[in-house]
Amino acid sequence: MSIEEISSGLESLQMGDDSVISLLTKKGDNLNVLSDSLDNLIAYSKDAKHVNTLYELLINDSDSFLSGLYRVGDKKAIVLFNTLSKHKVSSEIIQNILSVIRLKLKKDIHIDINRDVTIDIPLEIFYVNVYLNLITQFDISIPHHIQVLLGLLNPIAFKDHDEDYKEISRLVLLIIVKNINLNKSKTIEIIEDYLEILYEDDQLTMNQFLNMVDVLELIFPILPEVATQAYTNDKTKDHIIGQVSEISQGSLQINRLRIIHLLNLINSSCIVDHCRSYNSTNFFHLLKLGTEFNQDEEIQILSTLDIIKLWNFVELNQKKESDLSITIEQLGHIITDWLRTKGNVKKHSTILEYCIEALAYLTLNGSIKQSFRNDESIIEKLVTLLEQASQATTLNTSLTYGLLLILTNLTKLKGENSDKSTLKFLKDYANAATTKQSHNSEEDQSVITLFNKSLLIDHHIVDIISRLKTVHDDSSTKMIGLLPPAISIIGMISLTKEKKVKEELVKQGALNIILNFLIKYSTITKTDTNTNIGETRPINEDTTIIDTRVMALQALARIIISVNPLLAFKKYDVKTCIPFLVELLGPDISQYTDSGLNSSGQYPYLFDLSLVDKFDALLALTNLSSIDNNDIKTQIITRTFEQHLNNLMLDSDNPQVQTAAWELISNLITEPLLLAKFFNIDESMQNSKRLEILIKLMNSQHIQLQITIAGLLANATEFEMISSILMSKESIRNKLIHTICEICQGQSDQDDLIERIAYILLNLVYGSNDQSRQWLATNNELKQALATVVKTSTRRDIIEVILESVKLLK
């Protein structure tokens, strides 16, 4: 909005400074009239000529200013932040505003707001949201305010307003996190003191008890040590045991509020190993009772979730008491039965989140994974929920993440590190579960592969994933969110060797998902200061980003190996993926010195890349190099030869990787840039050595390597200049012809190899001068070798090429 428009709006309103003050400070019930002026008030706050009036009111009477903003419906406090942005504000002023908010929250806690009028959020949420925005924008921490904020965690005060209570809890959590970042020791001290006052009180009211429970639940994920100490304290234990005893003697429905919040605390505390054992010992009876209480779905599913988190500690199958015996399979049935019949995002969003979290844990258990894969109704339900998430206006991130995590667990093939990016607790839990379930039989990998194929082709899982908003989020945020499990699912499916599967991955958008992620979470760095070549590397050292990038790189290579690059790339240029494939080859070999790898090139994850990763990257680059595009070929040569291929082509300990390196070189050998590195022998000794190695390896013990190098030389010698160089240097000529003769004499039955040898010889004859031809014509070893091929070969085309060479020599 321009200054002229602002002025015009103000003039039409005829609002003077006194009117502004009146608007913000006016008391009364006519809220709708006030709300009509909000847009004009926002415009006023943007006007440099008039904003001083607002600023003076803010400084002199912050209470009235904030109350006025709430009454006129400025729920985001836009006027406040506009006013502050126009002035150089000291930290003392912000602290004063924060103190005013603290007093308001301490004195004016209530929930009875008419949501049909000016503002549709409670007073508490308004003030806490303003508080959070202020400390975030101005980087301020006042730990002693946390006591008042923790006091807001009172579910009884928010009865029948669950969403408001969730929002208050979320905002308070964010404020605590900010204080921890700025002043951790003092923040912890304040929270410890707050909890101590509660659990040391022998006569807690219900409000105080539930407040203590919810504060503990809130801080477990961010301060597990503090929460654990308070939670397992004998005083706290006495309070909770007393409540549990009272609940067990009465009706679960009557005691519903206490039960739900206790179950949520148990759920939250399971992030700590010691607490899981503690819960198992003290609260298992309550949880078991809850799983049988089918009159209340939330209690039943939440109790089941809690036991699933405890089962590896409790050794459920070995419980001798009949009333406590329960198996992991029974727990699974409770969850899947509810999901089939009642799982609905709109009607049961909270219960559904519990259900999906439970399934995420259940699908870590090898003994029951296959039963889930075989349950088509459950798979269909999970896919349907994920599709609904892709169509939702607002994404439920936790629910969607849980769904993707379940599918990640089900698609995971043995030996693949798809769980590296999973939450640490899930990994720890899986390890513990594996220890307890070591007797379980190994999963059939072929069955998992078939499941993965069905998930792609029958359920179009990648297409659904591609429509999830945060997967294709083009914003500047670096929050990784749903991408680790999404990339893992694509990666596991890409392990299926069928070309049809790779093509379907491309059709459903897998390449776009992978490249979107890699571009967003990569930076360009130069490890060689002598060149201008940039290399792709992770944007930071976050292990989740690094692990997910590696999965993405692996999937990218596997897909490109099997598809036509000209048809596969729609959104991105083919050249976009070259540096990512090169990254999969590992550290830059050219950076090695006598003392090791140059420090500028040290990225530890590169050293963990396997031979399979290098092999796949080489095959993918070879496929790209088949495109008739000089820019692509030049970029591959520039990025790979000195850095990787120059070493890999000598790696005889890994013949498959060595052969793949030579296949890539063979595909690129017609490029002048690469020809020079083997055949410009007068320029450097290194080029001469490479040519000697090439000729030597053509007689390798590995037939596929022989065929590859022979094909390379056949392509190169089509250039008459190359043939001339080979024949003009006596030492090279003698070694080459002797190698050709040995192959013809000893491997005349290897048609693919002999065919390439025949064309090399023909090209050499064409490129020879009279003297060289005379030498060839009189070479008895060559005559005998060619005679052997003519006698033994069953391929008429090979014999014809040999005879043509003989004819030219005569």
Side-chain angles (χ1 to χ4, degrees), residues 243-294:
Q243 295 292 332
V244 170
S245 299
E246 186 177 323
I247 290 169
S248 300
Q249 295 170 5
S251 164
L252 289 182
Q253 191 63 46
I254 293 174
N255 295 287
R256 186 178 192 280
L257 189 63
R258 276 184 291 176
I259 293 173
I260 292 294
H261 287 269
L262 277 172
L263 292 176
N264 274 314
L265 172 57
I266 293 171
N267 183 22
S268 182
S269 69
C270 282
I271 195 172
V272 178
D273 287 351
H274 173 62
C275 291
R276 295 206 291 275
S277 179
Y278 176 84
N279 291 335
S280 168
T281 302
N282 294 291
F283 309 129
F284 187 77
H285 185 273
L286 173 68
L287 299 178
K288 177 66 167 55
L289 191 65
T291 63
E292 299 166 354
F293 190 65
N294 52 21

Side-chain angles (χ1 to χ4, degrees), residues 276-277 279-281 283-285 287 306-321 324-326 436:
R276 295 206 291 275
S277 179
N279 291 335
S280 168
T281 302
F283 309 129
F284 187 77
H285 185 273
L287 299 178
D306 286 353
I307 291 187
I308 287 170
K309 286 186 174 184
L310 301 180
W311 72 270
N312 56 314
F313 290 90
V314 181
E315 298 180 2
L316 300 175
N317 293 323
Q318 299 178 25
K319 279 282 182 184
K320 295 181 180 180
E321 299 90 343
L324 293 183
S325 63
I326 191 168
K436 292 292 181 180

Side-chain angles (χ1 to χ4, degrees), residues 60-108:
N60 296 326
D61 192 353
S62 298
D63 190 349
S64 295
F65 188 99
L66 294 170
S67 299
L69 294 187
Y70 181 77
R71 291 200 321 278
V72 299
D74 188 7
K75 60 184 178 181
K76 294 183 179 179
I78 297 171
V79 173
L80 170 65
F81 290 100
N82 285 348
T83 302
L84 292 173
S85 68
K86 300 293 184 182
H87 295 80
K88 290 184 178 180
V89 182
S90 67
S91 60
E92 289 78 13
I93 291 174
I94 301 302
Q95 289 177 21
N96 178 65
I97 299 172
L98 293 172
S99 295
V100 168
I101 295 175
R102 172 184 172 274
L103 288 173
K104 293 290 290 186
L105 291 170
K106 188 174 183 180
K107 294 178 180 179
D108 297 338

Side-chain angles (χ1 to χ4, degrees), residues 526-527 535 537 587-588 591 597-604 606-607:
K526 295 177 182 176
T527 55
E535 297 181 328
R537 294 291 184 263
D588 182 350
Q591 297 300 303
L597 188 61
N598 187 308
S599 60
S600 65
Q602 288 186 356
Y603 288 88
L606 293 174
F607 295 88

Side-chain angles (χ1 to χ4, degrees), residues 290-297 300 342:
T291 63
E292 299 166 354
F293 190 65
N294 52 21
Q295 297 99 315
D296 190 307
E297 296 167 0
Q300 184 182 36
K342 298 179 181 177

